Amino acid sequence: MNNLTKPSVGAVPKPPLKSRFLSTMRRDWMLYLMFLPGLVYILVFKYAPMYGVTIAFKDFKIGMDVMNAPWVGWKHFIDLFGRTAFLRALQNNIIISFAKLVFGFPFPIILSLMINEVRSSKMKKLVQTSVILPNFVSWVVVYGLFYAILSPNAGALKEVLALFGYEGALPNLLASQSAARTMIVISHVWKGAGMGTIVYLAAITGIDQGLYEAATIDGAGRLKQMWHITLPCIRTTIIVLLIFRVGEMMYAGFDQIFVFSNDAIISKIDIIDTYVYKLGLQERKYGISTAAGLFQSFTGLILVIITNWIAKRVDPESGLI
Amino acid sequence: MASKRYRKLGAATGGERVGQIINGIFLGLMVVITIYPFWHVVMYSLSDSHASMSGGIFLWPREFSLLSYQQLLSTKQLYICYRNSLLKTLIGTGVSLLLTALTAYPLSLPRFKGRGFFSLMIFFTMLFNGGMIPTYLLIRDLHMLDTFWVYVLPAAMSAYNMFILRNFFQSIPPSLEESALLDGANPFQVLFHLVLPLSGPALAALAMFYGVALWNGYMDNVLYVNDSNLQLLQNFLRQLIAAAGAKSGTVSEMADVSAASRLTEETVKMTVITVSVIPVLIVYPFLQKYYTKGVMVGSVKG
């Protein structure tokens, strides 16, 4: 592995590989020693589970060694796609991810543009400091806060609606099938808006102020400047974050949905992760649940590669890989 | 300074002034929507259980009462969970920073043979992973189920954070390191005495990234740990507030608390939420500052 050096051009005849390797090691052995813990970590906790996905093609039972388990081909996958519960989880997963993308992705961009328009630096700071707060608390706390606001009996929403003249009964929004996905998307946007905003504001700070001055002299208003200067200048940041987001489409938010789930709404918000959890860790069906997980991560990988390819076509300077 | 310039140029037309006002109202609303839920929970927890029962908007506590805090602080499980979460966060952040620095430093040096291969190997883990079940089986085979270390080791290094730190190390002038090497220092001495002291802001940002994730994460508890002596605060809170949660030991213990003291379930929940958010609020000014810096460092493409 350490022999992957490029051959040097026009140099003295190369010494044999073995002695080159030895001289590198003699010089830099301490660097390799330093790198060892990280390498072991990556191999054990990242690559060993990747080998473990072979369970998806094997008849693996508790107490067995993965290596010795008999191969069964695509059996688990065929079984998986015949299950309505999995198809439902897949469908929910796509709907929720897509809604999160459509509503959650543009929001921080709009918010950062709006914050950038604020002229009072105190107000600017107040808004920035506020919107980032939910990013630092756990999904459990977010659920608790939503509960505190939305609870039909003790929540604040009741009185807020009353201020606007609504006096009717309030449904329990956290246990309502029709509101379930909306709640997932709203809490996602609420929690994530601040982090995205920081990233975009950092990019906006880097824009050459001279461009705005020139545009002002040319008579361009604030909206025109936003459209023709700010947005094009943060394009690369937008594309990189978009690739990340699309790559995560298969992961619809395990931490979040796990805590938001209850029996009343599970049919609307069960996603692949929660399905794998139930099937694998509660029912101990390792083969088929690993197949579901592999389908998820493989599709995720394909999505990243495709988005990255498209991004590079549109703008050769952007892209992740 | 920008505002002065615009006023001088007389660029703020009537239409733009209206735009400014609408913008201000919208952003003000955003601040309220973000902050109010936290305020509501804290004020509710400080209210008398019966006065708060009807709900509504809480600007101040209704009939100020610390009863729920008194009751809660006598719950043994809360201390256990608090201790576990603090230990997880402190030890985890330390281990993660050390491992990340040890990995990132060699990868930042052009003379480190194989750095391209190793970088690619680590980058690939950002794109593809083994998934929940193989990871669970691995952790079981390593005999790490129901141990404290399962909170620290499996997620000890984030590839993303590692690349941020590597990029930062690469921005340090190599001449500094070369002169130290000429003086006979070994790579460990260079890293710990020269490179890391120069990387304060980047390390602080990473410590915040890791610390927040460690404090807020609870799935490791759900997936790998059954022992209630190792329970994490977030999971304790989850069991308490999740509507359809089964009657576990924690929940019934808390139900006893509320029954014994005439506290409503709501007040108990609000109090636990407040107690679990307090550490975050204490370090919040640092969090905000270094998160922003970390994002800046991370946005430098390398």
Side-chain angles (χ1 to χ4, degrees), chain B residues 248-268:
Chain B
S248 68
T250 319
V251 177
S252 52
E253 192 186 345
M254 295 305 297
D256 290 347
V257 169
S258 54
S261 57
R262 313 177 325 274
L263 288 171
T264 59
E265 215 182 296
E266 256 72 30
T267 308
V268 176

Side-chain angles (χ1 to χ4, degrees), chain B residues 110-138:
Chain B
R111 72 165 194 278
F112 185 66
K113 296 254 188 306
R115 69 199 282 255
F117 173 80
F118 289 129
S119 295
L120 196 65
M121 192 178 154
I122 296 175
F123 179 68
F124 184 68
T125 66
M126 290 169 79
L127 302 178
F128 187 79
N129 64 77
M132 196 186 313
I133 306 302
T135 308
Y136 172 84
L137 293 173
L138 170 80

Side-chain angles (χ1 to χ4, degrees), chain B residues 2 15 37 42 60 124 131-132 190 204 226 263 270 294:
Chain B
V42 176
W60 304 108
F124 184 68
M132 196 186 313
V190 174
N226 269 323
L263 288 171
M270 302 303 158

Side-chain angles (χ1 to χ4, degrees), chain A residues 37-114:
Chain A
L39 184 64
V40 170
Y41 168 79
I42 288 286
L43 289 175
V44 171
F45 288 107
K46 302 289 173 184
Y47 279 89
M50 285 188 208
Y51 171 74
V53 298
T54 51
I55 297 170
F57 303 98
K58 288 186 165 193
D59 192 14
F60 173 78
K61 295 212 171 59
I62 304 168
M64 238 181 215
D65 192 8
V66 179
M67 292 257 243
N68 301 330
W71 293 94
V72 293
W74 296 93
K75 177 174 163 274
H76 293 310
F77 288 91
I78 293 163
D79 186 1
L80 187 69
F81 280 91
R83 287 176 180 242
T84 43
F86 173 71
L87 294 176
R88 189 187 71 186
L90 180 59
Q91 190 193 359
N92 286 341
N93 204 100
I94 293 170
I95 293 172
I96 291 173
S97 286
F98 195 72
K100 280 183 173 180
L101 186 70
V102 169
F103 295 101
F105 189 75
F107 190 70
I109 303 177
I110 298 168
L111 200 57
S112 60
L113 290 177
M114 293 183 86

Side-chain angles (χ1 to χ4, degrees), chain B residues 3-42:
Chain B
S3 60
K4 263 184 204 155
R5 191 178 62 230
Y6 290 123
R7 238 169 264 144
K8 254 186 219 158
L9 284 167
T13 61
E16 279 180 358
R17 209 163 290 138
V18 173
Q20 281 285 321
I21 292 168
I22 295 173
N23 193 25
I25 292 173
F26 179 84
L27 290 177
L29 208 62
M30 276 304 296
V31 173
V32 173
I33 291 174
T34 317
I35 300 299
Y36 179 72
F38 291 93
W39 186 258
H40 181 85
V41 165
V42 176

Side-chain angles (χ1 to χ4, degrees), chain B:
Chain B
M1 77 189 177
S3 60
K4 263 184 204 155
R5 191 178 62 230
Y6 290 123
R7 238 169 264 144
K8 254 186 219 158
L9 284 167
T13 61
E16 279 180 358
R17 209 163 290 138
V18 173
Q20 281 285 321
I21 292 168
I22 295 173
N23 193 25
I25 292 173
F26 179 84
L27 290 177
L29 208 62
M30 276 304 296
V31 173
V32 173
I33 291 174
T34 317
I35 300 299
Y36 179 72
F38 291 93
W39 186 258
H40 181 85
V41 165
V42 176
M43 291 304 133
Y44 199 114
S45 73
L46 292 171
S47 298
D48 177 78
S49 246
H50 292 276
S52 59
M53 224 156 49
S54 58
I57 299 168
F58 280 72
L59 293 181
W60 304 108
R62 291 183 199 158
E63 296 181 28
F64 183 78
S65 158
L66 286 173
L67 190 62
S68 61
Y69 287 89
Q70 280 169 11
Q71 291 297 328
L72 195 67
L73 294 179
S74 65
T75 314
K76 201 176 144 219
Q77 188 63 20
L78 181 76
Y79 288 100
I80 295 175
C81 294
Y82 228 101
R83 179 201 64 193
N84 293 337
S85 282
L86 279 178
L87 283 177
K88 177 195 175 189
T89 306
L90 293 175
I91 297 175
T93 306
V95 169
S96 292
L97 280 183
L98 182 67
L99 186 66
T100 308
L102 290 176
T103 312
Y105 179 62
L107 290 180
S108 74
L109 299 173
R111 72 165 194 278
F112 185 66
K113 296 254 188 306
R115 69 199 282 255
F117 173 80
F118 289 129
S119 295
L120 196 65
M121 192 178 154
I122 296 175
F123 179 68
F124 184 68
T125 66
M126 290 169 79
L127 302 178
F128 187 79
N129 64 77
M132 196 186 313
I133 306 302
T135 308
Y136 172 84
L137 293 173
L138 170 80
I139 284 171
R140 194 194 60 181
D141 291 345
L142 292 173
H143 301 287
M144 282 173 68
L145 291 182
D146 274 320
T147 63
F148 175 77
W149 295 103
V150 82
Y151 292 144
V152 173
L153 294 180
M157 185 165 72
S158 127
Y160 183 76
N161 289 350
M162 200 284 294
F163 284 118
I164 289 182
L165 194 60
R166 187 202 62 175
N167 290 354
F168 187 86
F169 286 163
Q170 279 171 345
S171 70
I172 296 175
S175 53
L176 281 174
E177 190 219 345
E178 279 156 20
S179 62
L181 286 176
L182 283 179
D183 289 343
N186 69 43
F188 284 92
Q189 288 166 329
V190 174
L191 175 65
F192 286 103
H193 297 301
L194 189 76
V195 174
L196 288 185
L198 287 173
S199 312
L203 289 176
L206 287 203
M208 298 292 157
F209 287 154
Y210 280 126
V212 168
L214 284 159
W215 177 262
N216 286 337
Y218 69 97
M219 286 316 292
D220 42 7
N221 191 167
V222 171
L223 293 170
Y224 311 126
V225 178
N226 269 323
D227 187 351
S228 64
N229 283 320
L230 287 172
Q231 196 180 26
L232 298 175
L233 186 62
Q234 303 298 338
N235 201 33
F236 176 80
L237 179 62
R238 183 185 67 87
Q239 291 190 343
L240 192 71
I241 59 177
K247 283 271 177 220
S248 68
T250 319
V251 177
S252 52
E253 192 186 345
M254 295 305 297
D256 290 347
V257 169
S258 54
S261 57
R262 313 177 325 274
L263 288 171
T264 59
E265 215 182 296
E266 256 72 30
T267 308
V268 176
K269 288 178 183 177
M270 302 303 158
T271 312
V272 182
I273 296 173
T274 308
V275 166
S276 77
V277 171
I278 285 171
V280 176
L281 294 181
I282 291 174
V283 293
Y284 183 61
F286 301 99
L287 282 176
Q288 209 224 343
K289 186 173 158 202
Y290 289 110
Y291 243 71
T292 315
K293 279 195 180 156
V295 169
M296 299 279 214
V297 175
S299 64
V300 180
K301 250 182 131 183

